[in-house]
Amino acid sequence: MRRVFILKFRLLLMVSLLIAAAPPVRSAEVHIDIERLESSRTPVGVLGFETEPGAESEVKSVRDILMMDLKRSLAFQLTDLSQYPSSKNLAPEDVKKIAGDRIEIILTGKVKKEGDQFKLNAALYNGKTGKWMWERVFGGSKSSLRMISHRTSDKIVYQLTGEEGIAQTEIAYVSDTGGSKEIYRMDYDGYNPRLLTLNHTINLFPRWSPDGTRISYTSYIDRNPDIWIMDITTSKRWKVASGGLKLSPVWYPDGRRILFAASVEGQTQLFTGMEDGKNIQRLTFSIGNDLSPSFSPKGDQVVFNSDRGGAPQLYLMNNDGTNVRRLTFEGEYNTTPSWSPKGDWIAYTCRTDNRLQICLISPDGQRKVNLSSNRYEDESPGWAPDGRHLVFSSNRDGKTNVYMMTSEGTEIERLTRTGGNFIDPAWSPVRH
Amino acid sequence: MIRTETHFLKLWLTGSVYLVLTGCAFQSDLTDLHIEMDEIKDKMAQMTLKTDATDRISRERTQSTSNEQGNAFLKVDQMAVDLQTIQGRLEENNHSIGDLSQKIEEQTLRMHDQNSRLGNLENQMVSLEKSGQNAQAPPPQSSAEQGKMILPGQVPPSSLMPQEAYNQAYNDFVKGNYDLALIGFQNFIQQFPASALIPNAYYWMGESNYSKKEYLKAVENFDKVGRDYPKHDKTPSSILKEGYAYLEMGEKLRGKSYLKKVIELFPRSDEARLAKERLSLVK
């Protein structure tokens, strides 16, 4: 008893000394350097697009979509210069005059119709020298006009930044619009939704393979939550693991194996297996439920959530199940982790003030950021392949919808538009 | 009986958490806490055994009255929840102790730094006094330069605190920059040889080597953890990964011996279960 008292006294004394000697605590505000600063974005002026007879009604939407794509890339500061029409014969002096002191790049465009095909000709000029820099032509049918703009945007992003754009990526999600929970895919900006499953049961947890050609998911099609994979290029589907509860399958970066949660002895544990269902091995042996794994970019670390400590928290382990250690210690509910493509952040659903929110934590556990306001229920974050955007579901407009935002929690945009609930979004990789 | 013990353990844990959270400890106090944690772990192991026993008993009782059966199952369920709660507290305690150790380490380094600056300042003053009114004496260095003065043979101090240096290397590992991680951990080991994170650094060097398929080097680093820090929480994983590395090199007998070693030394660990799974696959 006396020993405890002395210990306590010494501890209290020590803490006073440490507090007095500790360096001043920095502001709780943590800046995430993965989003480009507004000031570091390249100023781009977009001229009015030229058109030819037959394409007058399409030219505005093509230009609008392209401008939205470029804005979402977070690489550019766009200025609408529609008062200046694009022209094939833009002289350097004209370009310099339009660009003025501030604009560094001038984008011009022309949309024309040839038969039933539309063509977009996009060109870039150096605003400082007035010289032509780059030009591409993309074409397709009327129904692919959006994709033509997306493709043009990605090429411009790559040309000017050297990084892959995300305008041609897609988002898979679950919706109950038709009565049953089916998996859909849509363009990254929420347009062009398409059904991927239609078995009138429950389908959950869609996750893209690293090459974007297959999706793993849990389906009750055989009256049991089993793991399935579909090849979206051939529509072929096959069952990977069945019996008991099989949940949240994710792909190893090699694209040949999956990691998933399965019930065993009354608990849910993590298992690994080949995509054809062979060589299934158990990886975790906890006294709780282990769920929702997500890989580090190179695939040698896994973050997952587990209630082995009484409440759901995030844990890390090696991809072979060794070296399990706890990552989150704040709050009593931390789930659905998603590791960023650059490896420096893990997004997850946290609960603060009894609300589900989107949080970020660094893999070393040293930095934590809450990206949500506390008025709505935000959950299930997933990273875009550029590492600068997140997709998540939220009830901020009444029903649950899918939204995207930057990794700083700004520029929130609703992506799903029709009735019903939309949950569990997953962003596709960039396809080459 | 077991319930009382659980209650006692909870009180004990709460007390320990309070102690840890309400203040920072001297190194000796931390050692005391570590001992207490080990005792708690032992108690947990005993409780698990008792839970298993109760589970067995309750299953035997299924042949008796259904009321008794229901109660027994409820009890087992409650105990499982209690066990998880204790596990959670243990993780939080370990985390707090880790934080405290780092703070003490950083504080000690700061004190050493301050002492060295003071010493340098004193030396400067003495030499100034000695030089007297010597007009040709060099002008005194600025305070910033004094702080940075390094005596011959001394290792230049890192501008990073131990935790920062360690995290930098760890983040490189997580991003897959294994070469950078290896250099970072190596520097960390050289600059902070007394840090409590040294075994962790060796472990992550082993993991970096393993990821690069440099199995022999991985074995060396894992071996250092297993040999020099036999009770560290990275030790079961180190021995297991050493076994995996030997298996990758085609040395089956040696690999299997390390898998068996994990089972023998840490029979209740996740690594022991992984070792059993792997052993069943190695022909």
Side-chain angles (χ1 to χ4, degrees):
Chain A
M1 186 65 192
R2 184 177 158 72
R3 185 172 149 259
V4 172
F5 177 76
I6 293 169
L7 182 67
K8 264 175 141 179
F9 177 76
R10 283 165 69 186
L11 283 168
L12 285 170
L13 185 68
M14 189 64 186
V15 78
S16 319
L17 287 171
L18 267 181
I19 287 170
V25 179
R26 275 187 293 175
S27 159
E29 189 183 322
V30 180
H31 177 71
I32 307 165
D33 54 9
I34 48 184
E35 188 187 345
R36 290 188 181 93
L37 289 172
E38 185 75 31
S39 57
S40 69
R41 296 181 191 181
T42 306
V44 174
V46 185
L47 304 195
F49 280 13
E50 200 182 351
T51 185
E52 283 185 359
E56 297 94 335
S57 53
E58 282 78 20
V59 68
K60 185 180 179 304
S61 66
V62 167
R63 184 175 179 274
D64 288 347
I65 295 163
L66 179 56
M67 282 187 71
M68 278 305 291
D69 287 345
L70 293 173
K71 182 172 175 280
R72 287 194 198 99
S73 75
L74 306 176
F76 311 114
Q77 252 183 307
L78 293 182
T79 303
D80 186 351
L81 298 174
S82 51
Q83 68 272 30
Y84 301 105
S86 297
S87 161
K88 202 176 178 184
N89 305 313
L90 264 182
E93 286 311 311
D94 296 335
V95 174
K96 279 161 68 178
K97 197 173 160 189
I98 294 169
D101 293 336
R102 201 180 58 81
I103 291 171
E104 292 177 16
I105 305 287
I106 290 287
L107 167 64
T108 67
K110 179 179 181 178
V111 180
K112 62 180 178 182
K113 193 178 178 196
E114 290 178 358
D116 59 352
Q117 296 285 300
F118 287 85
K119 284 191 175 166
L120 166 61
N121 183 322
L124 297 174
Y125 292 83
N126 185 323
K128 300 297 168 201
T129 63
K131 284 184 181 169
W132 172 92
M133 290 170 61
W134 174 93
E135 191 166 354
R136 287 286 184 283
V137 180
F138 296 100
S141 63
K142 183 167 182 170
S143 61
S144 57
L145 274 172
R146 295 193 68 84
M147 193 43 71
I148 291 171
S149 293
H150 294 330
R151 194 165 295 159
T152 308
S153 169
D154 281 352
K155 289 289 176 191
I156 291 172
V157 169
Y158 188 76
Q159 180 67 25
L160 294 177
T161 68
E163 292 179 19
E164 302 276 5
I166 56 167
Q168 293 178 86
T169 57
E170 292 180 281
I171 291 163
Y173 58 96
V174 174
S175 172
D176 61 3
T177 314
S180 55
K181 282 190 168 153
E182 305 288 352
I183 295 173
Y184 291 70
R185 64 200 271 213
M186 62 183 174
D187 293 351
Y188 92 114
D189 55 2
Y191 285 86
N192 201 16
R194 287 148 285 167
L195 264 173
L196 281 173
T197 62
L198 186 56
N199 51 45
H200 305 289
T201 60
I202 299 171
N203 301 278
L204 297 164
F205 313 117
R207 293 293 179 268
W208 297 86
S209 65
D211 65 358
T213 61
R214 290 151 293 155
I215 286 180
S216 59
Y217 58 105
T218 294
S219 178
Y220 283 72
I221 190 167
D222 286 346
R223 298 181 181 180
N224 189 71
D226 301 324
I227 289 180
W228 288 73
I229 290 176
M230 78 173 79
D231 185 325
I232 58 171
T233 60
T234 61
S235 299
K236 191 182 159 197
R237 288 143 214 267
W238 63 95
K239 190 155 54 174
V240 179
S242 58
L245 193 67
K246 301 280 187 289
L247 302 166
S248 50
V250 293
W251 295 81
Y252 278 71
D254 66 9
R256 294 172 57 225
R257 291 174 291 161
I258 56 166
L259 182 59
F260 58 95
S263 59
V264 53
E265 297 158 5
Q267 307 279 16
T268 312
Q269 302 286 293
L270 296 180
F271 287 74
T272 176
M274 300 302 287
E275 66 167 329
D276 59 5
K278 287 179 184 160
N279 200 17
I280 289 176
Q281 287 173 40
R282 184 171 170 180
L283 285 189
T284 59
F285 300 85
S286 78
I287 55 169
N289 294 295
D290 300 341
L291 281 163
S292 308
S294 174
F295 280 101
S296 65
K298 290 276 179 177
D300 38 25
Q301 295 290 298
V302 178
V303 59
F304 61 99
N305 79 264
S306 174
D307 66 357
R308 61 183 68 193
Q313 297 290 348
L314 303 191
Y315 289 78
L316 296 166
M317 68 174 185
N318 297 341
N319 66 7
D320 53 13
T322 55
N323 188 27
V324 178
R325 63 257 186 225
R326 186 163 153 184
L327 177 64
T328 52
F329 290 89
E330 280 179 38
E332 291 186 342
Y333 185 88
N334 297 306
T335 60
T336 63
S338 174
W339 212 310
S340 78
K342 293 181 182 175
D344 37 11
W345 291 100
I346 292 164
Y348 62 101
T349 307
C350 55
R351 189 165 63 198
T352 313
D353 301 330
N354 278 328
R355 297 269 182 195
L356 297 179
Q357 307 193 350
I358 307 297
C359 285
L360 299 182
I361 189 166
S362 56
D364 59 12
Q366 299 292 307
R367 295 175 295 163
K368 191 184 161 234
V369 189
N370 188 332
L371 295 181
S372 301
S373 73
N374 59 6
R375 292 169 55 202
Y376 314 105
E377 303 276 359
D378 298 342
E379 55 186 318
S380 307
W383 287 92
D386 66 356
R388 295 193 183 93
H389 291 86
L390 286 158
V391 67
F392 62 102
S393 61
S394 171
N395 67 353
R396 56 188 61 216
D397 292 318
K399 284 194 166 183
T400 306
N401 276 286
V402 172
Y403 296 77
M404 78 156 95
M405 65 179 168
T406 68
S407 51
E408 292 204 331
T410 58
E411 296 177 45
I412 296 168
E413 199 178 329
R414 180 172 157 182
L415 301 178
T416 46
R417 295 174 176 90
T418 52
N421 291 293
F422 302 84
I423 57 169
D424 208 8
W427 211 308
S428 81
V430 172
R431 289 193 203 94
H432 294 282
Chain B
M1 173 66 184
I2 294 169
R3 204 175 244 306
T4 317
E5 275 191 34
T6 310
H7 184 65
F8 171 66
L9 264 176
K10 275 182 172 175
L11 276 174
W12 194 2
L13 275 165
T14 313
S16 301
V17 172
Y18 172 75
L19 282 180
V20 170
L21 293 180
T22 51
C24 299
F26 288 109
Q27 204 62 48
S28 60
D29 299 331
L30 274 180
T31 312
D32 288 344
L33 281 172
H34 276 299
I35 293 166
E36 286 185 25
M37 299 288 288
D38 287 343
E39 287 169 1
I40 291 170
K41 280 181 188 170
D42 289 344
K43 288 269 177 191
M44 276 184 72
Q46 285 170 24
M47 270 193 70
T48 313
L49 285 174
K50 284 183 182 173
T51 309
D52 292 345
T54 312
D55 197 10
R56 257 202 323 278
I57 292 164
S58 68
R59 282 176 204 285
E60 286 166 13
R61 281 186 184 170
T62 50
Q63 290 147 4
S64 64
T65 66
S66 58
N67 274 349
E68 276 182 7
Q69 183 193 40
N71 288 337
F73 277 127
L74 274 176
K75 226 178 223 177
V76 171
D77 283 348
Q78 185 53 46
M79 282 178 62
V81 171
D82 288 347
L83 203 61
Q84 282 179 305
T85 309
I86 291 171
Q87 165 87 16
R89 294 261 171 87
L90 195 62
E91 288 168 354
E92 282 155 16
N93 264 3
N94 275 333
H95 180 68
S96 303
I97 286 177
D99 272 358
L100 289 172
S101 301
Q102 286 155 23
K103 278 180 189 159
I104 288 172
E105 220 168 84
E106 285 172 11
Q107 211 53 43
T108 311
L109 273 173
R110 281 201 184 95
M111 279 168 66
H112 281 308
D113 188 43
Q114 296 284 355
N115 286 342
S116 135
R117 283 169 190 237
L118 277 172
N120 287 336
L121 209 58
E122 275 176 11
N123 289 341
Q124 292 276 329
M125 286 177 73
V126 169
S127 58
L128 268 176
E129 274 174 18
K130 276 183 184 168
S131 64
Q133 287 84 25
N134 187 351
Q136 290 182 353
Q141 287 176 298
S142 73
S143 59
E145 283 169 330
Q146 287 165 10
K148 283 178 187 169
M149 212 161 81
I150 299 158
L151 297 173
Q154 278 186 333
V155 179
S158 166
S159 57
L160 295 174
M161 281 286 128
Q163 186 67 45
E164 290 172 323
Y166 176 86
N167 285 345
Q168 208 171 65
Y170 173 77
N171 287 330
D172 276 328
F173 170 80
V174 165
K175 288 177 189 169
N177 302 328
Y178 305 122
D179 290 326
L180 282 177
L182 282 166
I183 293 167
F185 284 122
Q186 191 64 58
N187 286 343
F188 173 81
I189 289 167
Q190 279 173 4
Q191 286 170 355
F192 308 106
S195 169
L197 291 168
I198 292 293
N200 300 57
Y202 278 118
Y203 175 80
W204 289 115
M205 284 179 71
E207 283 291 343
S208 304
N209 294 136
Y210 194 91
S211 294
K212 291 181 72 187
K213 302 190 191 301
E214 296 171 347
Y215 297 119
L216 210 56
K217 287 182 183 170
V219 161
E220 280 172 26
N221 284 311
F222 287 136
D223 197 52
K224 216 158 182 62
V225 184
R227 204 184 52 230
D228 297 349
Y229 309 93
K231 293 206 163 176
H232 194 269
D233 63 2
K234 290 273 186 277
T235 303
S237 282
S238 294
I239 300 173
L240 182 63
K241 292 302 289 269
E242 207 170 340
Y244 285 177
Y246 278 121
L247 290 176
E248 291 290 345
M249 290 190 284
E251 294 192 39
K252 282 188 187 173
L253 277 177
R254 217 162 178 184
K256 282 164 81 173
S257 74
Y258 277 90
L259 303 189
K260 285 173 187 164
K261 194 174 166 186
V262 180
I263 299 167
E264 188 193 321
L265 294 177
F266 306 97
R268 301 196 69 85
S269 67
D270 289 356
E271 281 76 7
R273 288 168 169 175
L274 287 164
K276 279 178 199 163
E277 290 246 322
R278 188 66 178 259
L279 274 172
S280 70
L281 297 171
V282 181
K283 301 221 168 89

